[in-house]
């Protein structure tokens, strides 16, 4: 949901709240006459549509957007019958996919496409396993006729609605077009950072680890393996893929997924500035494409900021306090045009993950600096404590994942990355699996 707010304002790790009341008649046409639970079999029991295949395949989507100035990356997907296009903000930090929904809509912002319009037979009943998965950890009434949800994000945005099912048009790498039926949110009441302002996307694509995520549903229906990857272009664009056909057979750095969180985490890491330890150890890290920028908790952020300022004390840069783009900026003798103009003054930040083979994630200046429209160089690593995040949570956001492929392999329970160009779609057959 990073695209729903100003760049860098939103960390999009979702917390699902219990919402057991039925939709009020004023809020949704779906409540004027509730659907019978027997009218719609559980989605988990439905077979994939039009597959005609035995083995899982893969699908790839072009990514649009950038870190600056737009502050989000998104994909175009065709949903419904007949299929219609929608732009969805990619978010590995949350599970539920949702569209702004004319049910009718109580609070929605104008997006690039007309709001999704549901029909009564699309309602997901509470007895469906995906509804139970959506409400895991909360009290859930399996006898209700519709699966309501209320989801809140760390950026104070929210979506309230009802779970529905519809077909997603997907073109697999073997050119076959399939139309699996997915469950997703029909969001008829959204809270945005800037209410009533136009939004660049129509909703959110939940790519997290939960059973309700698009990736999990694809895997459970046998369309793809439970593997996903993305490549975010430093100059914008890139690609997103489901399945394992695009995973490189070599050069990947792998770290085991941490089982202490429900998010994509390679576990704890030690922090280095160049080759020097910053004395910050066991930082728990999370990969989150729903966050434009990278966030450190108070202690690691202060250690990082002190190291940067110490290095720059003898450089021809002066701190700039009047750039509204980001909190910490510097200006030079003349306006910077790109990171190339200033990167020589900054070192590479490194995260050394202590689990497994001590995997190293290097973050060069290009992956933590922003050159703003004012010609200043600003830090794209922010203070997560000031942003209101959990004090133990450290986020690897879009800026620090640019120009590298990041792979989330839920089959083997590990996360991998490799420096690679993101300006063209990958060719299948790279995987040894």
């Amino acid at each position: 949901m990073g695209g729903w707010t100003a760049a860098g304002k939103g960390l999009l790790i979702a917390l699902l709240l219990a919402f057991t009341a039925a939709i009020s008649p004023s809020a949704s046409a779906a409540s004027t006459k509730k659907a019978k639970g027997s009218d719609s079999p559980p989605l988990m029991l439905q077979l994939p549509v039009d597959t005609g295949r035995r083995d899982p395949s893969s699908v790839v989507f072009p990514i649009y957007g950038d870190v600056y100035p737009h502050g989000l990356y998104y994909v175009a997907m065709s949903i419904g019958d007949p299929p219609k296009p929608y732009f969805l903000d990619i978010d590995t930090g949350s599970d539920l996919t949702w569209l702004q929904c004319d049910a009718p809509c109580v609070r929605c912002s104008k997006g690039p496409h007309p709001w999704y319009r549901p029909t009564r037979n699309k309602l997901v009943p509470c007895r469906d396993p995906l509804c139970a998965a959506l409400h895991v950890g909360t009290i859930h009434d399996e006898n209700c006729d519709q699966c309501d949800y209320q989801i809140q994000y760390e950026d104070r945005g929210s979506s309230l609605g009802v779970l529905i099912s519809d077909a997603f048009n997907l073109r697999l790498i073997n050119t076959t077009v399939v139309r699996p039926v997915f469950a997703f949110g029909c969001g008829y009441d959204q809270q945005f950072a800037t209410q009533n302002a136009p939004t660049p996307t129509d909703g959110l694509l939940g790519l997290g680890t939960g059973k309700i995520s698009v990736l999990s549903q694809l895997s459970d229906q046998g369309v793809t393996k439970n593997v996903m990857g993305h490549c975010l272009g430093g100059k914008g664009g890139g690609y997103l893929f489901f399945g394992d056909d695009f995973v490189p057979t070599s050069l990947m750095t792998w770290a085991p997924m941490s089982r202490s969180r429900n998010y994509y985490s390679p576990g704890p890491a030690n922090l280095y500035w160049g080759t020097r330890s910053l004395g910050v150890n066991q930082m728990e890290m999370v990969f989150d494409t729903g966050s434009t920028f990278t966030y450190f908790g108070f202690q690691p952020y202060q250690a990082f900021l002190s190291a940067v300022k110490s290095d720059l004390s003898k450089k021809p840069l002066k701190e700039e306090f009047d750039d509204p783009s980001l909190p910490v900026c510097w200006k030079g003798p003349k306006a910077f045009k790109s990171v190339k103009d200033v990167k020589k003054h900054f070192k590479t930040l490194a995260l050394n993950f202590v689990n497994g083979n001590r995997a190293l994630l290097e973050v060069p200046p290009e992956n933590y600096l922003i050159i703003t429209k004012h010609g200043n160089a600003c830090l794209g690593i922010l203070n997560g404590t000031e942003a209101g995040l959990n004090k133990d949570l450290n986020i690897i956001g879009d800026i620090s994942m640019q120009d590298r492929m990041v792979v989330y392999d839920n089959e083997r329970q590990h996360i991998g990355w490799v420096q690679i160009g993101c300006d063209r779609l990958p060719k299948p057959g790279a995987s040894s699996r």
Side-chain angles (χ1 to χ4, degrees):
M1 195 173 160
W4 296 93
T5 62
K9 295 287 182 65
L11 168 67
L12 304 175
I13 291 183
L15 171 66
L16 184 69
L17 302 181
F19 184 74
T20 55
I23 302 174
S24 67
S26 62
S28 174
S31 67
T32 57
K33 184 178 179 181
K34 290 186 179 180
K36 299 289 185 181
S38 59
D39 294 340
S40 178
L43 295 181
M44 296 286 284
L45 303 182
Q46 294 181 5
L47 295 176
V49 180
D50 300 334
T51 60
R53 300 170 297 103
R54 291 183 177 179
D55 298 323
S57 185
S58 297
V59 60
V60 62
F61 306 90
I63 285 178
Y64 308 94
D66 54 40
V67 168
Y68 185 86
H70 298 99
L72 82 161
Y73 288 95
Y74 63 93
V75 295
M77 299 193 78
S78 296
I79 303 171
D81 186 14
K84 297 179 180 179
Y86 297 96
F87 293 162
L88 299 177
D89 193 349
I90 59 174
D91 186 9
T92 59
S94 62
D95 296 334
L96 181 67
T97 294
W98 57 264
L99 290 174
Q100 292 202 100
C101 192
D102 190 8
C105 197
V106 176
R107 281 185 297 186
C108 289
S109 291
K110 181 176 175 56
H113 299 100
W115 300 331
Y116 175 87
R117 183 163 292 187
T119 56
R120 198 178 316 282
N121 64 349
K122 302 295 185 184
L123 283 171
V124 175
C126 293
R127 65 186 177 89
D128 192 285
L130 287 174
C131 183
L134 180 64
H135 290 275
V136 64
T138 66
I139 299 175
H140 173 58
D141 180 8
E142 292 188 357
N143 296 317
C144 59
D145 294 324
Q146 63 188 33
C147 184
D148 301 308
Y149 76 87
Q150 180 178 355
I151 195 165
Q152 292 186 337
Y153 299 91
E154 293 279 355
D155 66 351
R156 298 179 180 84
S158 64
S159 177
L160 185 149
V162 61
L163 202 64
I164 59 174
S165 65
D166 212 337
F168 281 51
N169 265 36
L170 303 174
R171 182 177 293 277
L172 303 177
I173 60 173
N174 61 7
T175 73
T176 302
V177 175
V178 297
R179 303 187 66 238
V181 174
F182 288 155
F184 60 95
C186 166
Y188 59 80
D189 190 349
Q190 274 68 241
Q191 192 76 271
F192 305 121
T194 306
Q195 199 65 36
N196 300 321
T199 54
T201 54
D202 302 294
L204 182 142
L205 187 65
L207 301 173
T209 62
K211 297 288 286 185
I212 195 66
S213 78
V214 166
L215 179 61
S216 294
Q217 292 188 61
L218 275 173
S219 174
D220 288 340
Q221 295 190 34
V223 180
T224 71
K225 290 187 177 180
N226 201 344
V227 179
M228 172 186 68
H230 57 71
C231 200
L232 309 178
K235 296 181 179 179
Y239 55 85
L240 168 75
F241 62 85
F242 301 138
D244 67 349
D245 291 283
F246 301 102
V247 180
T249 58
S250 61
L251 303 180
M252 291 286 294
T253 297
W254 293 100
M257 285 188 189
S258 172
R259 300 183 184 276
S260 62
R261 295 187 181 273
N262 293 325
Y263 312 122
Y264 290 117
S265 171
N270 300 333
L271 191 61
Y272 290 82
W273 178 241
T275 58
R276 178 169 65 91
S277 171
L278 291 182
V280 178
N281 300 319
Q282 302 292 313
M283 292 173 61
E284 192 76 23
M285 305 300 304
V286 170
F287 283 88
D288 181 16
T289 59
S291 178
T292 305
F293 298 121
T294 290
Y295 290 84
F296 286 168
F298 180 80
Q299 182 188 1
Y301 178 78
Q302 292 300 326
F304 165 66
L305 186 60
S306 295
V308 174
K309 289 187 174 183
S310 175
D311 275 10
L312 295 182
S313 62
K314 298 180 181 179
K315 302 291 176 65
L317 301 179
K318 292 185 178 180
E319 196 162 352
E320 174 58 63
F321 298 98
D322 295 329
D323 193 328
S325 307
L326 288 162
V328 181
C329 302
W330 291 269
K331 62 181 179 181
K334 59 181 181 179
F336 302 122
K337 294 182 179 179
S338 73
V339 177
K340 292 181 180 178
D341 297 337
V342 71
K343 61 179 293 184
K344 65 182 180 182
H345 300 304
F346 293 83
K347 293 178 181 176
T348 293
L349 186 72
L351 293 163
N352 188 11
F353 293 96
V354 300
N355 292 340
N357 295 322
R358 296 187 177 272
L360 190 69
L361 176 66
E362 294 187 320
V363 185
E366 294 90 337
N367 286 53
Y368 65 80
L369 288 178
I370 291 289
I371 303 302
T372 71
K373 63 181 180 180
H374 304 286
N376 299 316
C378 300
L379 287 182
I381 297 178
L382 308 181
N383 188 331
T385 303
E386 287 186 356
L389 306 184
N390 185 305
K391 66 178 182 178
D392 297 323
L393 197 59
N394 301 281
I395 305 299
I396 301 169
D398 293 341
I399 188 171
S400 299
M401 291 188 277
Q402 292 178 113
D403 293 322
R404 67 184 61 184
M405 181 190 288
V406 180
V407 176
Y408 311 87
D409 188 337
N410 293 294
E411 304 262 342
R412 300 184 179 184
Q413 287 291 298
H414 59 186
I415 300 175
W417 53 88
V418 63
Q419 205 77 21
I420 196 171
C422 302
D423 56 345
R424 63 180 62 185
L425 294 178
K427 294 182 180 180
S431 175
S432 61
R433 298 153 194 253

